[in-house]
Amino acid sequence: MVKLRLKRCGRKQRAIYRIVALDVRSRREGKNLGKVGFYDPTQGQTYLNVPFILYFLEQGVQPTKTVHDISKKGKRSRKELRVNY
């Protein structure tokens, strides 16, 4: 199963996160299937590649709760990301 989740980047005490499509069995720093955006919590910046996210959602990929919350804050998406728990 594939999910949209966060991948940590940056240096110590200055973390930024890439929003990527990853297999749920892989590690956080594992090989990703596609980069769909990034999130910088220190600066409050968010970038979402909406067409790419919608492509993955059509393929059945589910976002994690954190990615879902980030996308709601960004309000750049034209279509709400749905989470099935």
Side-chain angles (χ1 to χ4, degrees):
M1 183 170 173
V2 178
K3 285 196 174 198
L4 292 176
R5 55 192 241 194
L6 297 177
K7 183 175 185 177
R8 185 185 163 111
C9 300
R11 59 182 191 196
K12 256 198 282 189
Q13 304 296 322
R14 299 269 310 170
I16 61 170
Y17 298 93
R18 285 190 180 138
I19 302 171
V20 296
L22 279 172
D23 188 11
V24 293
R25 294 171 287 175
S26 67
R27 305 177 305 157
R28 180 185 67 192
E29 290 86 14
K31 186 175 179 180
N32 56 11
L33 300 173
K35 299 174 189 171
V36 296
F38 78 89
Y39 171 62
D40 186 356
T42 57
Q43 308 242 340
Q45 295 178 343
T46 304
Y47 170 75
L48 300 172
N49 188 349
V50 178
F52 209 45
I53 291 174
L54 292 177
Y55 167 75
F56 275 116
L57 291 177
E58 289 172 359
Q59 301 301 318
V61 175
Q62 292 294 318
T64 60
K65 185 175 184 330
T66 307
V67 172
H68 182 260
D69 293 343
I70 289 170
S71 68
K72 285 174 68 175
K73 283 183 195 174
K75 294 189 179 181
R76 294 184 184 193
S77 63
R78 296 176 214 139
K79 182 178 178 182
E80 183 178 329
L81 303 178
R82 295 191 186 130
V83 181
N84 294 332
Y85 289 114

